[in-house]
Amino acid sequence: MGRHTLEYPKTKTNTVRRKSDRATYALEAIHSLINASPLLNVAFNTPDSSPFPTILPMIGHMGSFDRPSADLGDPLDLYLHGYVSSRMMNLARSSSSSSSSPQGVEQQQQQQQQQQQQGLPVCISASHVDALILATSPFSHSYNYRSATLFGHASLVTDDAEKLYAMQLITDGVVPGRWRASRQPPSPAEMQSTSILRVSISSGSAKLRDGGVHDDKHDLEDEDAQGTVWTGVLPVFSRIGDPIPTSYNKVDTPVNITDFVRDYNRQNEEYVLAAAKK
Amino acid sequence: MGRHTLEYPKTKTNTVRRKSDRATYALEAIHSLINASPLLNVAFNTPDSSPFPTILPMIGHMGSFDRPSADLGDPLDLYLHGYVSSRMMNLARSSSSSSSSPQGVEQQQQQQQQQQQQGLPVCISASHVDALILATSPFSHSYNYRSATLFGHASLVTDDAEKLYAMQLITDGVVPGRWRASRQPPSPAEMQSTSILRVSISSGSAKLRDGGVHDDKHDLEDEDAQGTVWTGVLPVFSRIGDPIPTSYNKVDTPVNITDFVRDYNRQNEEYVLAAAKK
């Protein structure tokens, strides 16, 4: 409503070079794709002698502890779920450790900012394949897809209230309303055994392809090829099947789950079919 | 049949630390998961001052140019599809460049080996979400999933025969038989505009979870929780919808496509439902 659409600034790190007309830097588009992905790919470097970055599939969600009512187009942090003992948590812990000497509020704030910059540098990627595009020439084949990338610094969340906020955010990101619909409150042991990483986002980008087959002119005019090669789109979508209750479940399938399954299936299929016709 | 199952050696780089009972190092399991994934996440570091690794979604397939009849349990290379001008191709080119002075076959072989080690260090990840596991406590929630990771050095394929082999391999990896069913042969311009990376694999691992809900004993004995919380599995599977021909398509949907769509949908759903019941 008259508000500017916020975009991540284009830098050397996040600028899409190949087919840049398919790129967007809008926060809302990028954050939506991250939230719609059941798994995020998180890449980081380890301080050992390995030349390879490592990718871990993780569960996460965009949010703002300081302003929980922020919407998807606002600057947000990414919260990632993990285990206390995991390698990545240890790296994030060691790269954001600080002295515990007494200090004033201003110093604390400065230190917090430094910690965010000092966190573990990570790249996060989420992709959805929406269609296989089968063209006349194998070289004109493509996918319809939506893909988002974020760059930022990951730090361990140490504040209990922020940790609880993030746990609810991530659980409700899997199935809306699931946190309150499951056993509450968490036990102290549960709180201790789970770690949360907050990724302070530096930049990001998204890229998508929609539409149908784009054949080269000479292929369209090639009567022999057009008489023998099937061309078209194979739509691909993720579906959730009928809920399978445990043997000991005593509760009717709640409306938040039936609504979620129906919306998930309808929205995925509608998007994919509409994108194929663009 | 009496043959050993090959495994990637466990090193500091590829050893699964968290829930190691879910891990496998078997080549066949890892290579199958990579091939079943329509998109691969490829992470690499850039030589600029950025502290972040970068993840690109790419299309790829496992294969062996020297022994095309090799099966999935054999040592294989990963072939990745890209564009001549892309950043990653440039990095792989520069990190595997060699002198062009005349030399003997033995020297050439030595140099090829060195080039493979000198290629761009990459990590490749493929993941499939198979179910959302909704337990009594939010902290016992989980996913059924299959995830594979490979580490290796990426080099640009310069031999035309190997490039053609890889292009067919990757195209047929999207839809079996598609290479021959599409317009042939490639034009010189098509061959030149496409690049192929060969990743020489150093190590890898895979991890999976199957089965149903695993609730803690105290949650199972909590009558209040069991009377209010729905517990069970939401199976998730990727489906391909009805093929949508282009407006100018003149050909009946060929059997390789209808077979592919039927097999894809049947196999995905069967695996996911069987895994949920394990």
Side-chain angles (χ1 to χ4, degrees):
Chain A
M1 307 298 275
R3 222 190 79 167
H4 284 295
T5 300
L6 293 181
E7 297 197 340
Y8 286 114
K10 287 170 75 170
T11 67
K12 219 171 151 182
T13 299
N14 72 328
T15 298
V16 173
R17 291 164 181 79
R18 172 83 197 161
K19 305 220 176 186
S20 56
D21 54 317
R22 295 180 181 170
T24 175
Y25 300 90
L27 271 61
E28 185 170 4
I30 298 167
H31 297 167
S32 300
L33 285 173
I34 296 284
N35 281 356
S37 187
L39 277 182
L40 302 171
N41 291 282
V42 183
F44 57 99
N45 286 301
T46 53
D48 59 26
S49 59
S50 166
F52 305 110
T54 297
I55 301 178
L56 287 185
M58 298 180 82
I59 303 180
H61 212 77
M62 307 299 307
S64 169
F65 177 61
D66 295 331
R67 204 158 70 82
S69 64
D71 63 41
L72 280 171
D74 289 328
L76 298 172
D77 295 317
L78 172 64
Y79 286 99
L80 293 171
H81 171 272
Y83 292 93
V84 169
S85 61
S86 73
R87 178 165 47 158
M88 203 188 152
M89 294 294 165
N90 288 333
L91 286 171
R93 192 179 291 116
S94 65
S95 57
S96 55
S97 63
S98 64
S99 78
S100 57
S101 57
Q103 54 192 340
V105 171
E106 204 174 319
Q107 274 176 307
Q108 277 182 5
Q109 282 177 343
Q110 276 180 359
Q111 201 182 54
Q112 273 178 359
Q113 280 185 345
Q114 278 173 3
Q115 277 177 30
Q116 287 187 351
Q117 295 311 313
Q118 283 168 11
L120 182 71
V122 294
C123 175
I124 298 103
S125 168
S127 335
H128 308 261
V129 175
D130 297 321
L132 313 180
I133 306 294
L134 306 187
T136 306
S137 161
F139 295 82
S140 300
H141 280 53
S142 189
Y143 283 173
N144 280 351
Y145 65 89
R146 291 164 290 160
S147 162
T149 309
L150 290 172
F151 300 91
H153 289 85
S155 307
L156 207 62
V157 173
T158 50
D159 178 74
D160 274 348
E162 184 173 4
K163 206 168 153 181
L164 203 60
Y165 163 80
M167 286 168 177
Q168 174 162 4
L169 183 78
I170 292 168
T171 307
D172 288 343
V174 177
V175 177
R178 185 61 188 170
W179 180 263
R180 279 170 180 276
S182 57
R183 193 262 294 152
Q184 293 296 331
S187 71
E190 286 178 331
M191 288 296 289
Q192 290 225 331
S193 67
T194 304
S195 289
I196 298 287
L197 289 177
R198 181 189 52 247
V199 183
S200 172
I201 307 299
S202 302
S203 68
S205 64
K207 207 170 165 185
L208 74 81
R209 183 202 194 274
D210 51 23
V213 176
H214 300 165
D215 262 323
D216 280 344
K217 190 160 170 283
H218 63 84
D219 275 320
L220 289 171
E221 291 166 351
D222 182 338
E223 284 185 25
D224 187 37
Q226 293 307 326
T228 53
V229 179
W230 185 89
T231 51
V233 175
L234 302 184
V236 181
F237 39 85
S238 174
R239 274 192 73 79
I240 296 185
D242 292 333
I244 307 167
T246 58
S247 57
Y248 52 86
N249 174 66
K250 294 184 181 66
V251 181
D252 287 341
T253 317
V255 70
N256 75 305
I257 291 180
T258 50
D259 280 1
F260 165 66
V261 173
R262 186 201 57 215
D263 292 349
Y264 183 96
N265 290 339
R266 187 188 290 169
Q267 285 165 13
N268 273 325
E269 187 162 352
E270 277 178 3
Y271 173 85
V272 163
L273 294 179
K277 279 167 195 151
K278 269 196 182 171
Chain B
M1 306 301 274
R3 222 190 80 167
H4 285 294
T5 301
L6 293 181
E7 297 196 341
Y8 285 114
K10 286 167 76 171
T11 66
K12 219 170 149 183
T13 299
N14 72 328
T15 298
V16 174
R17 290 164 183 79
R18 173 84 197 160
K19 306 222 174 187
S20 56
D21 54 316
R22 295 181 181 169
T24 176
Y25 301 89
L27 272 63
E28 186 170 3
I30 297 166
H31 297 167
S32 300
L33 285 173
I34 295 283
N35 280 357
S37 187
L39 277 182
L40 303 171
N41 290 281
V42 183
F44 57 99
N45 286 301
T46 53
D48 59 27
S49 60
S50 166
F52 306 109
T54 296
I55 301 179
L56 287 184
M58 298 181 80
I59 302 181
H61 213 77
M62 308 297 309
S64 169
F65 176 61
D66 294 331
R67 205 159 69 82
S69 65
D71 61 42
L72 280 172
D74 290 328
L76 297 172
D77 296 317
L78 172 65
Y79 286 98
L80 294 171
H81 171 271
Y83 293 91
V84 168
S85 61
S86 74
R87 179 166 47 157
M88 201 186 155
M89 294 293 165
N90 289 333
L91 285 170
R93 191 181 290 115
S94 65
S95 56
S96 55
S97 63
S98 63
S99 79
S100 57
S101 57
Q103 53 193 341
V105 172
E106 204 173 321
Q107 275 174 306
Q108 276 181 5
Q109 283 176 342
Q110 276 179 359
Q111 201 183 54
Q112 274 178 358
Q113 280 184 345
Q114 279 172 2
Q115 277 178 30
Q116 287 187 351
Q117 294 311 315
Q118 284 166 10
L120 181 71
V122 292
C123 175
I124 299 102
S125 168
S127 340
H128 309 261
V129 175
D130 297 320
L132 313 181
I133 307 293
L134 306 189
T136 307
S137 163
F139 295 82
S140 300
H141 280 53
S142 188
Y143 283 174
N144 280 351
Y145 65 89
R146 291 164 289 160
S147 162
T149 309
L150 291 172
F151 300 91
H153 289 86
S155 308
L156 207 63
V157 173
T158 50
D159 178 75
D160 274 348
E162 184 174 3
K163 205 168 154 181
L164 203 61
Y165 162 80
M167 286 168 176
Q168 173 160 6
L169 182 78
I170 291 168
T171 307
D172 288 343
V174 177
V175 177
R178 184 63 189 171
W179 181 263
R180 279 169 180 277
S182 57
R183 191 263 293 153
Q184 293 296 332
S187 72
E190 287 178 328
M191 288 297 289
Q192 290 225 331
S193 67
T194 304
S195 289
I196 297 288
L197 289 178
R198 181 189 52 245
V199 183
S200 171
I201 306 299
S202 302
S203 68
S205 65
K207 207 171 166 186
L208 75 82
R209 184 201 193 275
D210 51 24
V213 176
H214 299 165
D215 262 323
D216 281 345
K217 195 162 166 282
H218 63 83
D219 275 322
L220 288 171
E221 291 166 351
D222 182 338
E223 284 186 26
D224 187 38
Q226 293 308 323
T228 53
V229 180
W230 185 89
T231 51
V233 175
L234 302 185
V236 182
F237 40 83
S238 174
R239 275 192 73 78
I240 296 184
D242 292 334
I244 306 168
T246 56
S247 57
Y248 51 86
N249 174 67
K250 295 185 180 67
V251 182
D252 288 340
T253 318
V255 71
N256 75 306
I257 291 180
T258 50
D259 280 1
F260 164 68
V261 173
R262 189 200 56 217
D263 293 349
Y264 182 96
N265 290 338
R266 186 187 290 169
Q267 285 164 14
N268 274 325
E269 187 162 352
E270 278 179 3
Y271 173 84
V272 163
L273 294 179
K277 279 168 195 150
K278 268 196 183 171

